[in-house]
Amino acid sequence: MKLYSYWRSSAAYRVRIALNMKRVVYEQVPIHLVKKEQSSPEYLALNPSGLVPALVTDDGQVLTQSIAICEWLEETVSGPSILPEKEYDRVRARTIAQIIACDIHPLNNTRVQAYLRTEMKQDDAQVQAWIHTWIASGLAAAEALIVDGKRYAVGDRPSVADICIVPQLYNARRFDVDLTPYPKLCAIDAEAAKLQPFIDAQPERQPDAPPT
Amino acid sequence: MKLYSYWRSSAAYRVRIALNMKRVVYEQVPIHLVKKEQSSPEYLALNPSGLVPALVTDDGQVLTQSIAICEWLEETVSGPSILPEKEYDRVRARTIAQIIACDIHPLNNTRVQAYLRTEMKQDDAQVQAWIHTWIASGLAAAEALIVDGKRYAVGDRPSVADICIVPQLYNARRFDVDLTPYPKLCAIDAEAAKLQPFIDAQPERQPDAPPT
């Protein structure tokens, strides 16, 4: 498979983790968001949303939207499950994933930040305050759904919830968000950082990451 | 079941359609978003996100996030399926749903509009332009995924894609978005408007809708 990705995109990071968990071998095609490569006619022909990631399957189908891709991987690829087994655990994992994928990330992505700066004339401090607002409210809602005494967000196996939590915490640190109000999410993040599928998906380890 | 809802919320509208399609009998508890009832301590105890909808199941579980609720209904309630059968159709339906639920709706909801007006001092025209930007780019991406010659978004049965499209078009009309660039989405909307589960979920037919 071929993954159109950007090293620092949260949504691409999620799909990299999911592909790694499912032990799918994939090639990466970097799409440089800051250079606006996602708005090139070639990329828009592939993904009309002009967002990363896009996954091209072995039989040439183009899949977009990180959570839809995770569900598709779960339904079509054997290997470790990325959803819990029990019904209420499954809905809880999906709820945490959606809190992050709907209520935090789309408000803070590159195109929205650009709009706030360019069209709405907001300065760095104002954009930073905006980002902090949505990260804080979303992480608080996610933290409230984490049950004590489990290794990951829902039970002792990582799921789509953790696939979303880890990139969102990476993103929160990048914007200097204080994470002390979210000890459960931080504990999950530390636990996931021991797992090879999560390690291999880290932004700094991607081929398009700038040299440190 | 008990649905905490607001007549004009897109996310609550989605869940009303899904519950109707699954023939679930439910009671509605109105949460008045403009009066900020979603931020009351009672409601936050139920849904820490402070958003509608929240669904309380027969055995007292509180479910939030509209798409997670749709997936849970599909897995636990018999009755007409709200996902297509074939794998690529399923991922396409979920992708269209996520384009709307992630890339359009969260950018335009009540709390975001309030932030733009209050914290960022944007006037009505500027907020309107913001809303139009995200609706237009998201609907264009969704339109591009609709295959010709089918009755609904993915095939001849309504799915989670249509469950998201119909409320989003209602919302777009509310904000005077020109829908002529999206003929396929409009045709789906007109088709769905003939189905009782969609009709019964319409905002104006809800118990908390103001008298016309």
Side-chain angles (χ1 to χ4, degrees), chain A residues 73-85:
Chain A
L73 287 170
E74 181 70 359
E75 290 185 348
T76 60
V77 180
S78 59
S81 179
I82 58 177
L83 278 171
E85 257 182 66

Side-chain angles (χ1 to χ4, degrees), chain A:
Chain A
M1 299 198 201
K2 199 182 274 191
L3 181 68
Y4 290 78
S5 177
Y6 179 61
W7 66 288
R8 217 155 58 167
S9 152
S10 287
Y13 190 175
R14 289 177 206 146
V15 174
R16 293 196 301 262
I17 299 169
L19 288 166
N20 294 344
M21 284 180 68
K22 287 291 192 182
R23 300 173 192 134
V24 172
V25 179
Y26 60 98
E27 176 196 341
Q28 283 198 47
V29 185
I31 297 295
H32 201 300
L33 298 190
V34 183
K35 292 182 188 161
K36 297 196 194 302
E37 290 178 357
Q38 72 279 19
S39 306
S40 72
E42 295 77 22
Y43 189 71
L44 287 175
L46 198 75
N47 180 4
S49 281
L51 297 166
V52 292
L55 181 68
V56 182
T57 67
D58 287 337
D59 48 359
Q61 299 278 346
V62 182
L63 309 185
T64 62
Q65 290 292 334
S66 60
I67 305 290
I69 292 173
C70 287
E71 296 277 356
W72 178 81
L73 287 170
E74 181 70 359
E75 290 185 348
T76 60
V77 180
S78 59
S81 179
I82 58 177
L83 278 171
E85 257 182 66
K86 292 181 190 161
E87 286 159 0
Y88 278 126
D89 289 341
R90 292 166 79 85
V91 67
R92 206 149 55 81
R94 285 180 171 128
T95 299
I96 295 167
Q98 296 283 350
I99 288 172
I100 294 167
C102 297
D103 295 341
I104 303 179
H105 177 249
L107 289 154
N108 297 336
N109 72 9
T110 312
R111 64 180 189 163
V112 171
Q113 289 184 45
Y115 191 104
L116 295 174
R117 284 177 211 278
T118 312
E119 307 294 329
M120 292 189 166
K121 314 290 179 211
Q122 301 295 303
D123 65 20
D124 285 348
Q126 288 163 319
V127 173
Q128 183 88 348
W130 161 277
I131 290 171
H132 280 219
T133 298
W134 310 120
I135 292 180
S137 73
L139 291 186
E143 177 85 5
L145 289 175
I146 310 293
V147 176
D148 281 321
K150 299 290 180 184
R151 194 173 298 172
Y152 296 103
V154 180
D156 290 320
R157 281 195 301 110
S159 73
V160 70
D162 310 282
I163 286 173
C164 290
I165 289 169
V166 168
Q168 187 54 61
L169 290 198
Y170 169 86
N171 180 278
R173 287 192 191 96
R174 205 183 128 200
F175 291 106
D176 293 322
V177 173
D178 173 20
L179 294 179
T180 52
Y182 322 109
K184 293 179 191 174
L185 296 175
C186 290
I188 288 163
D189 186 56
E191 200 62 43
K194 300 174 190 166
L195 300 178
Q196 208 57 46
F198 285 77
I199 295 168
D200 292 342
Q202 288 168 353
E204 284 71 18
R205 291 171 190 263
Q206 303 316 303
D208 56 330
T212 45

Side-chain angles (χ1 to χ4, degrees), chain B residues 62-186:
Chain B
V62 182
L63 309 185
T64 63
Q65 290 292 333
S66 60
I67 305 289
I69 292 173
C70 287
E71 296 277 356
W72 178 82
L73 287 170
E74 181 70 358
E75 290 186 347
T76 60
V77 180
S78 59
S81 180
I82 57 176
L83 279 171
E85 256 182 67
K86 292 180 188 163
E87 287 159 359
Y88 278 126
D89 289 341
R90 291 166 77 86
V91 66
R92 207 149 54 82
R94 285 179 171 129
T95 299
I96 294 167
Q98 297 283 346
I99 287 173
I100 294 167
C102 298
D103 294 342
I104 303 180
H105 177 248
L107 289 154
N108 297 337
N109 71 9
T110 312
R111 63 179 190 164
V112 170
Q113 289 185 45
Y115 191 103
L116 294 175
R117 285 177 210 277
T118 311
E119 308 295 328
M120 293 188 165
K121 313 291 179 211
Q122 300 296 302
D123 64 22
D124 284 347
Q126 289 163 319
V127 172
Q128 184 89 344
W130 161 276
I131 290 171
H132 281 218
T133 298
W134 310 120
I135 292 180
S137 73
L139 291 186
E143 177 85 4
L145 288 175
I146 310 294
V147 177
D148 281 320
K150 299 290 180 184
R151 194 173 297 172
Y152 296 104
V154 181
D156 289 321
R157 281 197 299 110
S159 71
V160 70
D162 310 282
I163 286 172
C164 291
I165 289 168
V166 169
Q168 186 54 61
L169 289 199
Y170 170 85
N171 180 278
R173 286 192 192 98
R174 205 183 128 198
F175 291 107
D176 293 321
V177 173
D178 173 19
L179 293 179
T180 52
Y182 322 110
K184 293 179 190 174
L185 296 175
C186 290

